Structure formats: structure tokens, C-alpha cells
Amino acid sequence: MLRGVLTGLVETRAEYQHVFNIYVPIGLGVFAVFVLTPLAAVLIFRRRPPERAARWHQNDRLEGGYALLLVGVVAFLLYITFTAEHRVDTVSASERPQLVVNVTAAKWEWHFNYPSYGIDLYSGAVGRQDLVVPTGEAIRFRLVSRDVIHAFWIPELRYKHDLIPGSTQDTTLTFHRQGVFAGECAEFCGLMHSNMIFDVRALSPVAFNAWAHAQQAGGGAHP
């Protein structure tokens, strides 16, 4: 039962979509206040004789309440953000992966290594090979950078993780449907940063096994 709960939480798209759905209305509300308040002041007080000019320059209660409101909003957003991060990280550390992929980033290329199959794929400035994964299975990605900070970003999963030089970071992701999904480096890493792109090709477990065995046999088959 616990495993079923944990597997569901691996779906980062649902976790971060929830966070996104909270951030956006709050952001729009703050934007509206900053736009509408000056506009209302301009329209309401556009004409005023000198004798009716305001004689005060501050309102401590209003400013204090505004500051407290901002602190409350920031605290709330930090809470929901770190709660979602904690859930994802806890599952990532607890889940037993069916596949391990070593992801190495370097200017300006991705290297995807499948240690259990002896397969190496590259995407970036030199070539463009897909990161091929099975659907419905927990996949452990081991993230390493050889030079500067890069970011492993798969928008389909609402997932982005920085790769820090000198540090190996593990994360577990699950692809719940088949398809081809774009990925890229989301951290500016130099003049050819735009070349650090890749595609994730999610296959059924049966199709993935057939692809992996074809790669091992040297057939170079493309799924």
C-alpha cells in the first residue's frame, strides 16, 4: 500500500501543477493591485485645488498592514513550495528504480549512459539522440556536471533540477504516457547554451526492452 502511495507521488507534473495553480492567481492579484491602485489614484484625484492638497505624507497603520500582508503571502508560498519539494524528494530517495540513467552535462552536450545496458547516447552541439525511457516505471537519474551549472529540464513533467559541478544528485521520475517530450538546459551556461537540447522518447516497457537489446546488438535501431 505504501509503495502505491509513493509511486503516485513520483508524478512531478501533478505536484508542481498544484503549486503553479496557487502561484498564478496570487501573482495576478498582486499585479492588479500595483496597476489598478495608481490608475485609480490618477483618475480620482486628477484635479484638486491647492487648498485641498493632502497634508500628510505617511500612514503607519496602512504601511504596516501592507508589510504584514506581504510577509504572510511570502511565507505561504514558501510553505507550499518546500512542501511539494519535500514530497518529491522523499519519494525520489525511497523509490526503488527499475532503470538507472547517468546524466552528464557539459558545454554544450548531454551524455545519457545506461549502465545496466552499456548504452551511451549524446544530444547537443555534436548530435541529437533521444533519451529513451520506459513508461510506468520509476527511473533513477543521476545528475552530474563536468564544468559549470546546468539545469535538467523536462517541461512535460514540470520538472527542473540544477546540476552542480563536483556533486552527484539523484532524482526519480516516472513517465506515465508514451510520446516524445522536449528537454533542455534551463540554466544559461555559455555561448552555445541554446544547443543543449534533447528529446525524451517514452516507450512501453516492451518496446523499450526491444530498443535496448537492439542497441546492445549494435543495430542502432531507432524506436
Side-chain angles (χ1 to χ4, degrees):
M1 180 64 180
L2 177 61
R3 177 174 173 79
V5 173
L6 291 177
T7 302
L9 290 177
V10 171
E11 191 176 357
T12 56
R13 180 183 178 89
E15 289 291 333
Y16 295 128
Q17 184 67 45
H18 172 68
V19 175
F20 177 84
N21 290 340
I22 295 175
Y23 264 75
V24 170
I26 292 177
L28 291 175
V30 172
F31 177 77
V33 169
F34 276 94
V35 171
L36 296 179
T37 300
L39 181 61
V42 169
L43 294 177
I44 295 172
F45 305 110
R46 63 187 182 278
R47 292 182 180 179
R48 177 180 288 183
E51 60 273 12
R52 293 182 54 201
R55 303 299 179 185
W56 53 272
H57 65 281
Q58 66 182 38
N59 187 322
D60 293 337
R61 290 185 177 180
L62 179 61
E63 293 172 5
Y66 172 72
L68 288 175
L69 177 62
L70 287 182
V71 170
V73 170
V74 171
F76 172 69
L77 293 179
L78 286 175
Y79 170 75
I80 64 169
T81 299
F82 283 110
T83 299
E85 289 282 355
H86 177 70
R87 282 197 296 264
V88 172
D89 291 344
T90 299
V91 172
S92 179
S94 304
E95 187 65 84
R96 177 177 297 177
Q98 282 76 46
L99 174 68
V100 175
V101 180
N102 297 321
V103 179
T104 302
K107 297 187 293 186
W108 285 276
E109 188 172 76
W110 295 98
H111 175 200
F112 305 116
N113 167 257
Y114 300 69
S116 59
Y117 293 96
I119 298 173
D120 293 283
L121 304 173
Y122 299 86
S123 184
V126 175
R128 187 77 179 273
Q129 293 179 296
D130 294 345
L131 167 60
V132 183
V133 297
T135 57
E137 296 184 356
I139 305 168
R140 175 70 49 80
F141 292 96
R142 290 178 176 163
L143 309 176
V144 177
S145 172
R146 289 213 315 254
D147 39 45
V148 299
I149 297 177
H150 299 278
F152 183 65
W153 184 32
I154 304 177
E156 169 66 21
L157 299 185
R158 301 290 193 269
Y159 185 81
K160 178 171 74 72
H161 199 295
D162 285 349
L163 286 72
I164 309 298
S167 173
T168 299
Q169 301 169 78
D170 291 350
T171 188
T172 304
L173 301 174
T174 301
F175 293 81
H176 293 276
R177 67 184 183 91
Q178 299 181 39
V180 178
F181 313 115
E184 62 182 271
C185 174
E187 191 83 29
F188 182 73
C189 54
L191 295 178
M192 299 179 67
H193 161 73
S194 60
N195 287 329
M196 288 198 67
I197 57 178
F198 61 92
D199 286 326
V200 181
R201 184 175 294 269
L203 307 175
S204 68
V206 173
F208 174 82
N209 287 331
W211 169 84
H213 291 144
Q215 292 292 315
Q216 288 178 312
H222 192 281

